[in-house]
Amino acid sequence: MSRTATVRLADGTTVSVSEPDWCTGQHEDDLDLVDLSHDGADTVFLVDTERGPAQLFHAVVTQAPYSTHVEEHRTNVAVHLDNDYYRFRDVAALYTLADQIAEHAVQLRQLARHLDEIHHHGQ
């Protein structure tokens, strides 16, 4: 942690916090200190569709060092799925998610082959 950021808190005071190197330095003002988080760049997973790009999900490296929830003090990856954020603090769990997404891609390819067969048989 080589940088610091000054953030205005909800009570009108300011606080200087050390930032991890991966933090973008964008901090929301007017929050309570317990709600302050360090966030990396948002990684957005888009796919092209006939109606244009569509977002499957997005993920961000994050840490909330002052949270009342001690587990949020650890750096984690928050993945936005099904209208909510799911935090992956364990590297193995994040690899499992990646493997599951890869398995779904295999199933989608099977559907593509099935559609190709249907089209070739005139149905």
Side-chain angles (χ1 to χ4, degrees):
M1 294 194 196
S2 57
R3 300 175 294 154
T4 59
T6 301
V7 180
R8 186 180 68 242
L9 300 177
D11 64 6
T13 62
T14 58
V15 63
S16 291
V17 295
S18 296
E19 293 183 325
D21 293 335
W22 50 263
C23 180
T24 63
Q26 303 292 328
H27 297 283
E28 189 174 342
D29 285 323
D30 300 319
L31 296 175
D32 292 322
L33 183 61
V34 297
D35 296 322
L36 184 135
S37 67
H38 298 296
D39 299 319
D42 202 24
T43 302
V44 180
F45 296 83
L46 296 174
V47 293
D48 293 324
T49 73
E50 63 187 20
R51 298 186 333 207
Q55 181 176 303
L56 291 176
F57 58 93
H58 64 100
V60 62
V61 174
T62 187
Q63 178 194 35
Y66 307 103
S67 174
T68 56
H69 303 285
V70 176
E71 66 274 7
E72 291 185 14
H73 294 191
R74 285 184 60 201
T75 304
N76 63 86
V77 172
V79 181
H80 191 258
L81 301 164
D82 198 25
N83 284 334
D84 202 359
Y85 282 96
Y86 294 84
R87 297 190 183 278
F88 292 82
R89 294 170 187 87
D90 178 46
V91 173
L94 193 58
Y95 277 120
T96 298
L97 175 63
D99 291 342
Q100 290 170 340
I101 292 168
E103 288 171 17
H104 291 307
V106 168
Q107 293 171 334
L108 195 56
R109 285 186 188 95
Q110 290 170 345
L111 285 173
R113 284 191 292 277
H114 183 62
L115 181 61
D116 189 44
E117 290 172 11
I118 291 169
H119 285 177
H120 279 86
H121 290 93
Q123 296 181 9

